[in-house]
Amino acid sequence: MRIARFSTGDGAAFGVIEGAAGAEFVSKIDGHPIGEVRFTGERYPIQEIRLLAPIIPNKIIAVGKNYAAHAREMGGEPPEEPLIFSKPSTSVVGPGDSIAYPHKLSERVDFEGELAVVIGRLCREVPVERASEVIFGYTCANDVTARDLQRKDGQWTRAKGFDTFCPLGPWIQTELDPADLAITTTVNGELRQSARTSQLMHDIPKLIAYITDVMTLLPGDVILTGTPEGVGPLEDGDEVSVGIEGIGTLTNRVVPRD
């Protein structure tokens, strides 16, 4: 099931995307999709609505250097344990929204295409073998990073925390095996990243167990699972797309920050 958050101009709502490709529509649901799904009977052709970020999480926990080749392209070896950090919820934007380049503060902003996990229930100290029980679904993410600030600061909060630096979307896929999915990132149609989620150093069950040993996760929280090798800089006007097999494609354009 594909869960979308959308707007028709009268505020945000959730819906289920149905229909064949090219003739899709959104069936509006009552309330929040994490729980019992109740349809309202309202349906909209997908061309007539605006897709929003599919979830606004309480918190975003991201994982650094979780593909070996990416760890090495960043000048190090893969960490033995997951390397976690956070991004603020205010960094979230949706499909089609702009990524705002903060030129006054950074001279290099990079794309990082990733698989994102959406948590479906309050959980802590989750055993690896029960991790699937707390997952609501999966979506595409771009962990946009001010690379020069990341290197300068030594810790990553500022570099990864700018408004618009966490595009999510285009929707949440709730029925998916994430173990071996193709993931790609293109910039202006040119392939920049290509990998499979089977190459993750620490897989999703391990990440959930590791993170929930530290903190409680809430329904709607998001885990960014790491980016493959091939990260690189963005410029004003660039169109960057993250595509994940079985989910879809998240596309955003870079603009100067006001």
Side-chain angles (χ1 to χ4, degrees):
M1 186 163 58
R2 290 179 293 170
I3 302 289
R5 183 168 162 266
F6 68 97
S7 172
T8 60
D10 297 324
F14 288 98
V16 176
I17 298 178
E18 301 178 285
E24 295 164 306
F25 57 89
V26 179
S27 295
K28 186 178 178 181
I29 62 177
D30 184 23
H32 202 281
I34 300 180
E36 182 181 357
V37 173
R38 298 185 301 275
F39 291 98
T40 67
E42 299 173 72
R43 303 200 315 176
Y44 304 91
I46 200 166
Q47 299 87 351
E48 296 180 8
I49 56 97
R50 177 189 170 209
L51 290 174
L52 306 174
I55 201 78
I56 302 297
N58 175 270
K59 56 185 173 291
I60 304 156
I61 304 301
V63 183
K65 302 181 180 179
N66 202 21
Y67 287 82
H70 172 61
R72 295 187 180 107
E73 79 174 345
M74 298 302 290
E77 289 300 311
E80 293 185 6
E81 295 184 338
L83 174 61
I84 62 174
F85 60 95
S86 63
K87 293 172 77 86
S89 60
T90 47
S91 65
V92 172
V93 291
D97 290 338
S98 298
I99 297 168
Y101 196 128
H103 287 284
K104 293 180 181 179
L105 297 172
S106 174
E107 296 180 354
R108 175 165 171 170
V109 169
D110 283 13
F111 57 84
E112 294 190 8
E114 310 198 10
L115 172 67
V117 181
V118 181
I119 297 299
R121 55 186 287 190
L122 185 148
C123 58
R124 65 186 296 268
E125 297 181 352
V126 178
V128 168
E129 61 272 15
R130 298 191 63 184
S132 62
E133 298 176 22
V134 307
I135 296 172
F136 177 66
Y138 306 89
T139 192
C140 306
N142 191 344
D143 177 21
V144 183
T145 303
R147 192 69 70 201
D148 51 349
L149 300 184
Q150 183 184 26
R151 292 171 176 150
K152 177 182 178 180
D153 293 352
Q155 53 79 30
W156 303 353
T157 301
R158 180 166 67 139
K160 293 179 177 280
F162 284 93
D163 292 353
T164 76
F165 271 27
C166 189
L168 296 175
W171 40 67
I172 299 168
Q173 174 58 260
T174 63
E175 299 168 355
L176 187 70
D177 180 353
D180 186 30
L181 303 174
I183 176 170
T184 62
T185 305
T186 64
V187 178
N188 302 325
E190 179 182 345
L191 184 65
R192 299 292 185 87
Q193 292 181 290
S194 180
R196 302 196 69 87
T197 55
S198 55
Q199 296 172 284
L200 287 168
M201 298 295 297
H202 308 290
D203 64 15
I204 290 169
K206 182 175 180 180
L207 294 178
I208 289 174
Y210 186 86
I211 292 167
T212 60
D213 274 348
V214 178
M215 68 188 78
T216 299
L217 294 178
L218 304 177
D221 282 350
V222 168
I223 297 173
L224 306 186
T225 58
T227 195
E229 69 174 322
V231 299
L234 294 167
E235 303 293 342
D236 292 345
D238 282 348
E239 184 178 84
V240 54
S241 297
V242 179
I244 301 179
E245 181 182 5
I247 300 176
T249 302
L250 167 68
T251 298
N252 303 89
R253 187 172 293 276
V254 182
V255 301
R257 181 175 178 175
D258 293 337

